[in-house]
Amino acid sequence: SRLKVADIFMGGGTTLVEAARLGMNARGNDLNPMAWFVVKSELAAVRREDVEALLGRVNDEVFGAIRPYYAQTCPRGHGGVWIEKASGREMPAGFDPLTLPLSSRKAYAYRGPELIYTFWAKHGPCQAQDCGHRTPLISAPVFATKTMTVTAWQRDCSSCGQSFDVERYAARMAPGEAYVVLESEKAHAVMDEEGRYECPNCGARHEDLKARLTGESVILGKGENKKVELSLVLAPEWLKGAPRVDGQGLPMGGRPGDDAASTSRWYEARARTLSFIEIRGSGLPSEVIHPVTGKKVSTTVGTSAMRQTAGGAQPKKSSFACQESTCGREWDVLEAVRGSGRAGPMAPFAYHAHCPECEAAGDPYSGRYFVPARDVRGLSAAEMEWEARRSADLAGYWPEDPISEGWKTHKWGIPDHGYTHYWKMFNSRQLLVLSQILKAIASDASSPWEAKEALLGAFQQYVRNQNLLCFWNEGADKMEPHFSGNNYSLKSRPIENNVFGKLGRGHWLACAEGLVESIAWRASPWERVTKTEVSRLSKDLAKQFKQGKSLRVQVGDAVLDRVSITCGSSTELASVGDGAVDMVITDPPFSELVQYSELSDFFYVWLSPILRKVYPDVFGGDYTPKALEAVENPYRQGADAKAFYQRILTGCWREAFRILKPGGILAFTFHHSEDGPWVQVLESLFEAGFYLEATYPIRGDESKGDAQFGSMKVEYDIIHVCRKRMGDPEPISWAKLRKRISDDVKQISDLLDQHQEGGLPKADLEVIRRGKALEYFSKHYGKVYVEKGQPFSLKEALTGIRQLLDDESEGGVVPPVLAEPYTRQFLRIFDGTTAVPRDQLLKY
């Protein structure tokens, strides 16, 4: 028989996809139009050929028009070549595609160095009436670090006898910029193209062409890999900022909505004093000597206002000191921006680019490099083009909507920072790129709607990666997209990627590639099997792993089309009959942790004008609907927020109860970061008539890293399996129930011991024990009493169960009954050990 499955929340659609792949009649429901659209796109029965054809036409339409804005010149002298497509003729030196009209740009192709990322810096406007100076909001001058690996040989100079390293290639992040080698670094020389090098101690010249070509020679032997640590520092001249008017008294722009001419003046003014200092060596000192000027340059002090602490001067949070020589006043960033009435001006300060010739020559940085953003002609040209087209042919393809009012926007003061509209979270080149892609998709006359809808899903992903809330992950040497955390986190140093670049993270081609891969997966699904898991089954089979930690395994069952997706409240599934469903799978919202609709508006305002024409009932509103959203939102619900969340959640559970068959199963996963939201979920579940059948701890869908890239609150999930309570619960005393729980936990102890021997951590076993205890409590929910007339609440039950499990644990420390909670937990967790993994600690 075929199971009928309902996914009533669709946290991301995976359960619906899996249900369809397994041949189940699946139904999904979600109040959020963007969630509905994403899952609908994942399940769309679209032909790969149609999507690829549409993608090709979109790229042809937009690529040629945009390409001139991203061409670069390599600091090692490698220039790009423009080629006339029709004739194949290379354009002569001095050819400038930026001067071509839009209609002519598509006639040319380009080969050569190209942008990967553009680094921007927000500036704080001094609000003193006699000043108005703009200071870059830079807390520390170091903006990029990298550890490179180079081939090197140790050599004793035949002239002076001193030892030094000979490196095959120059390890540089910013060739051509000032270069400082720390005294702690071992003396080294770098071979030139002819294999020649000089002794760094006496200047004697040596030569070894064979080593240059092969990495091995009779003279030097076989080269060894050597680590080189590099840091890039902004020179102090640029950190001084610039006035709000130029030398002729003309205003300078750079803020959202400023005209193109004033913004171009601003870019040019900021580019004049821009330079870097590249520092080689570990243990970066607080100061270095500039090799050209001989002046001291700080590597730690930026433009933040400072405060004195016991450890010395430390930057004040969200504040800056005006860098105008006669001013120096300190300002809170929000106060300064609010006083200006506009978002702070931004200026580019670095280009991260790639040179194919350098990569082919063996460059240790794989052909990548940083250069100061001195050439701003491309950015200025983009400003001019956007100004001309925003209200002309691109009108309607970019969001003019004000930011929707909410907790993660207005309560966080986003409009106070000048971001009153969604378009202000993008610079002009980003708006020009995104609106052209959206227009090309929507206006294509040759594609079926299903292909357009699929490509709009890729566009939605690209919007996340192309805005002014993306930032640089210095440790990983890459961009991090917007919504790395569940909020609108404004950045003082945002990163912009190259729309059609082949390198870097989150560019348009990568987003589209993910779409094509998902279509292929839908037709021929695969699962990932870890090498560790295969090793448990067969060590011989595990040896077939050539590389990596996991292997793709084809499962041979395509996703079927038996899926119905509706967009509405899960408290009212009117289209589903009573007792019609075998299984409900859901992923309930995490109380106040994620405000789904407020975050979804960032994408909704881009896509709704296009989707509204096809789905007027779903995308008819200005923003995503929020009134019935099952979240805790103090901004909308005030003091009633927690109770509101629980009421809506209970309504969802009750509707799931209605549509389930008597023997049906409700399964859901919930992240256990703290007991509060979990208690709310379980109470609403039990109130709706369900009891807990079993709990299973599993690895979470992602490992959280540094706090700025994830919430770090949880690293694992627990699957809860529930059934409908078919009769009134039996009244029972806590003492009697406690005895039943204790007996049953003892009965499964042998089974749990086997799991522990098989590698299941002790903390997971504790979760299983607690789940087993909760099973009993849930079957008697509402009728458990301490004594007659005094009910035992779920919160009290959790405390009682924890104490019971403590008492049942064999051996080890038994904390005193009167010990306060933190001491009790400390004694339990660190009994017999000095270190516990963070994941296990959270479970405890």
Side-chain angles (χ1 to χ4, degrees):
S1 65
R2 290 172 178 165
L3 293 175
K4 291 183 178 179
V5 182
D7 179 345
I8 65 170
F9 286 100
M10 290 195 316
T14 303
T15 49
L16 267 182
V17 175
E18 286 301 299
R21 184 170 68 78
L22 296 172
M24 301 175 181
N25 290 305
R27 173 181 295 276
N29 192 76
D30 196 294
L31 186 65
N32 189 318
M34 285 311 305
W36 174 85
F37 172 73
V38 168
V39 179
K40 189 176 185 301
S41 300
E42 289 177 345
L43 291 168
V46 62
R47 291 181 355 122
R48 178 174 177 172
E49 296 83 358
D50 291 337
V51 172
E52 289 180 331
L54 173 60
L55 177 62
R57 289 192 294 274
V58 169
N59 291 350
D60 288 343
E61 177 70 23
V62 182
F63 194 9
I66 291 296
R67 195 82 184 261
Y69 297 140
Y70 297 95
Q72 285 287 302
T73 299
C74 172
R76 293 188 175 99
H78 303 139
V81 176
W82 289 93
I83 303 163
E84 190 177 52
K85 292 179 182 178
S87 64
R89 181 171 61 95
E90 293 187 2
M91 295 295 99
F95 174 78
D96 187 359
L98 291 173
T99 62
L100 295 174
L102 177 63
S103 58
S104 302
R105 292 183 204 159
K106 302 172 188 176
Y108 298 90
Y110 175 76
R111 183 180 68 247
E114 198 163 22
L115 270 177
I116 306 174
Y117 302 117
T118 301
F119 286 56
W120 293 81
K122 187 181 295 183
H123 288 58
C126 180
Q127 291 305 296
Q129 288 187 350
D130 57 338
C131 186
H133 190 82
R134 296 166 165 189
T135 298
L137 302 178
I138 303 291
S139 57
V142 177
F143 68 91
T145 60
K146 182 70 178 178
T147 300
M148 293 188 193
T149 302
V150 296
T151 302
W153 300 264
Q154 184 173 316
R155 175 85 194 256
D156 293 328
C157 179
S158 56
S159 297
C160 67
Q162 296 291 313
S163 176
F164 64 96
D165 285 346
V166 180
E167 296 173 3
R168 191 176 175 192
Y169 299 109
R172 293 293 304 270
M173 295 175 73
E177 293 301 296
Y179 186 52
V180 174
V181 180
L182 299 181
E183 293 181 359
S184 58
E185 281 289 280
K186 184 179 179 181
H188 68 279
V190 178
M191 286 185 179
D192 65 14
E193 295 294 331
E194 307 301 325
R196 296 175 301 225
Y197 54 94
E198 293 183 358
C199 172
N201 301 299
C202 68
R205 298 176 64 82
H206 303 274
E207 185 173 323
D208 195 332
L209 179 59
K210 187 177 181 183
R212 178 71 185 188
L213 296 175
T214 67
E216 186 172 357
S217 76
V218 176
I219 300 173
L220 298 175
K222 186 177 182 180
E224 300 288 338
N225 286 337
K226 176 182 177 181
K227 301 290 185 183
V228 178
E229 295 185 30
L230 299 164
S231 303
L232 277 183
V233 177
L234 281 163
E237 289 75 19
W238 190 81
L239 295 178
K240 293 177 182 178
R244 61 186 172 190
V245 295
D246 67 5
Q248 284 72 48
L250 295 174
M252 293 200 284
R255 301 169 301 180
D258 279 340
D259 64 272
S262 66
T263 296
S264 296
R265 288 194 293 270
W266 167 248
Y267 291 162
E268 291 165 3
R270 295 305 289 127
R272 292 188 193 108
T273 58
L274 189 55
S275 64
F276 302 155
I277 305 162
E278 185 168 10
I279 303 172
R280 170 174 170 148
S282 59
L284 197 65
S286 60
E287 289 182 336
V288 295
I289 302 299
H290 196 292
V292 178
T293 66
K295 295 180 179 180
K296 290 182 179 180
V297 176
S298 173
T299 62
T300 58
V301 180
T303 60
S304 297
M306 306 300 286
R307 58 186 175 88
Q308 295 299 320
T309 67
Q314 298 290 333
K316 289 183 180 178
K317 185 178 180 181
S318 302
S319 61
F320 68 96
C322 178
Q323 297 297 300
E324 206 281 328
S325 58
T326 61
C327 182
R329 276 166 277 203
E330 296 182 4
W331 294 97
D332 175 81
V333 173
L334 179 57
E335 180 185 347
V337 171
R338 188 189 286 130
S340 71
R342 303 278 295 277
M346 286 194 178
F349 68 88
Y351 297 141
H352 193 217
H354 173 259
C355 175
E357 287 189 61
C358 288
E359 181 178 21
D363 172 50
Y365 201 17
S366 302
R368 291 175 290 171
Y369 60 88
F370 283 90
V371 291
R374 299 190 190 103
D375 183 356
V376 295
R377 292 179 308 115
L379 286 167
S380 295
E383 292 284 345
M384 297 292 290
E385 183 177 345
W386 174 244
E387 186 172 78
R389 300 180 66 186
R390 59 182 294 172
S391 300
D393 66 306
L394 296 180
Y397 295 104
W398 58 280
E400 299 185 57
D401 314 73
I403 290 179
S404 59
E405 189 166 342
W407 186 15
K408 296 297 181 181
T409 53
H410 289 64
K411 182 66 175 179
W412 279 46
I414 304 301
D416 290 337
H417 283 272
Y419 298 102
T420 55
H421 295 69
Y422 287 100
W423 64 267
K424 294 183 179 182
M425 295 181 177
F426 304 82
N427 66 38
S428 295
R429 185 165 62 182
Q430 291 174 325
L431 290 167
L432 183 64
V433 163
L434 291 167
S435 59
Q436 286 188 86
I437 293 176
L438 187 57
K439 179 184 177 182
I441 296 172
S443 60
D444 187 88
S446 305
S447 296
W449 169 252
E450 290 76 16
K452 292 184 180 182
E453 186 171 271
L455 201 55
L456 286 174
F459 176 82
Q460 179 254 332
Q461 279 297 307
Y462 187 52
V463 171
R464 181 176 176 237
N465 290 275
Q466 184 64 291
N467 56 75
L468 293 177
L469 285 81
C470 301
F471 59 102
W472 185 246
N473 181 343
E474 192 172 301
D477 202 29
K478 65 179 182 181
M479 185 194 80
E480 293 292 340
H482 179 28
F483 291 137
S484 297
N486 299 317
N487 53 58
Y488 289 97
S489 180
L490 304 180
K491 308 300 178 195
S492 59
R493 290 193 298 171
I495 306 298
E496 173 192 0
N497 71 21
N498 177 353
V499 54
F500 288 107
K502 295 180 180 179
L503 296 178
R505 184 178 185 182
H507 51 75
W508 166 245
L509 297 179
C511 294
E513 183 179 280
L515 166 66
V516 174
E517 288 177 354
S518 71
I519 295 171
W521 183 92
R522 189 182 187 280
S524 182
W526 47 263
E527 297 290 350
R528 228 174 239 293
V529 181
T530 65
K531 188 173 182 178
T532 303
E533 185 64 26
V534 174
S535 298
R536 291 175 184 165
L537 302 174
S538 169
K539 295 190 181 299
D540 291 334
L541 186 60
K543 292 178 182 177
Q544 297 181 26
F545 274 76
K546 300 299 181 184
Q547 58 184 2
K549 297 180 180 179
S550 63
L551 181 71
R552 286 186 179 184
V553 178
Q554 297 292 328
V555 294
D557 49 352
V559 175
L560 303 180
D561 296 327
R562 256 186 249 98
V563 179
S564 173
I565 308 173
T566 56
C567 186
S569 174
S570 297
T571 59
E572 188 177 358
L573 303 174
S575 61
V576 184
D578 295 355
V581 171
D582 295 273
M583 184 188 297
V584 171
I585 304 173
T586 182
D587 187 6
F590 306 142
S591 187
E592 85 287 355
L593 293 184
V594 183
Q595 299 297 316
Y596 301 92
S597 62
E598 291 184 7
L599 305 182
S600 295
D601 282 340
F602 184 80
F603 308 105
Y604 183 91
V605 294
W606 278 95
L607 293 177
S608 58
I610 309 301
L611 297 174
R612 188 174 295 136
K613 299 171 185 176
V614 183
Y615 306 111
D617 294 339
V618 178
F619 287 92
D622 293 333
Y623 306 104
T624 57
K626 300 173 178 64
L628 289 176
E629 186 180 24
V631 293
E632 181 183 326
N633 189 309
Y635 191 83
R636 290 200 300 269
Q637 298 134 16
D640 189 47
K642 288 184 182 295
F644 175 88
Y645 167 66
Q646 197 160 335
R647 283 198 304 273
I648 296 293
L649 205 55
T650 302
C652 295
W653 295 134
R654 282 182 176 145
E655 192 68 345
F657 186 97
R658 180 186 68 79
I659 67 176
L660 264 179
K661 294 177 180 178
I665 283 177
L666 164 68
F668 69 94
T669 179
F670 196 74
H671 297 275
H672 290 55
S673 58
E674 53 187 64
D675 272 354
W678 191 44
V679 169
Q680 289 179 290
V681 170
L682 291 181
E683 279 186 345
S684 64
L685 182 75
F686 299 159
E687 288 287 344
F690 287 98
Y691 70 89
L692 199 57
E693 176 85 7
T695 55
Y696 301 95
I698 61 169
R699 185 183 299 275
D701 57 0
E702 63 176 305
S703 293
K704 300 297 190 295
D706 195 354
Q708 61 183 326
F709 306 128
S711 68
M712 280 186 64
K713 292 210 170 188
V714 288
E715 292 178 345
Y716 69 103
D717 298 331
I718 294 182
I719 293 177
H720 302 73
V721 180
C722 309
R723 290 191 189 275
K724 297 169 71 170
R725 191 188 297 117
M726 301 312 296
D728 291 334
E730 171 194 348
I732 190 171
S733 69
W734 170 242
K736 188 174 182 179
L737 184 60
R738 190 179 190 278
K739 179 68 168 60
R740 288 187 187 177
I741 293 171
S742 177
D743 291 343
D744 203 46
V745 169
K746 287 178 181 177
Q747 287 180 14
I748 66 171
S749 60
D750 290 342
L751 177 64
L752 295 179
D753 288 343
Q754 292 177 21
H755 283 307
Q756 188 168 10
E757 290 173 5
L760 195 64
K762 186 179 176 182
D764 286 305
L765 304 180
E766 292 291 304
V767 171
I768 294 173
R769 288 189 178 96
R770 183 163 75 158
K772 194 69 178 173
L774 277 170
E775 291 171 28
Y776 280 92
F777 180 82
S778 66
K779 291 173 184 176
H780 298 274
Y781 178 75
K783 294 296 180 68
V784 181
Y785 300 97
V786 180
E787 55 187 44
K788 191 171 182 179
Q790 185 180 346
F792 201 59
S793 71
L794 175 58
K795 194 169 184 179
E796 290 173 319
L798 286 172
T799 304
I801 288 168
R802 172 60 55 78
Q803 189 168 359
L804 167 64
L805 297 178
D806 284 355
D807 296 342
E808 293 294 337
S809 61
E810 297 181 6
V813 171
V814 179
V817 175
L818 296 178
E820 52 84 31
Y822 287 112
T823 300
R824 188 178 184 88
Q825 285 282 58
F826 180 87
L827 292 171
R828 287 182 65 251
I829 293 171
F830 290 96
D831 175 30
T833 185
T834 57
V836 176
R838 181 158 56 93
D839 174 59
Q840 301 301 306
L841 189 67
L842 284 167
K843 289 173 186 171
Y844 282 128

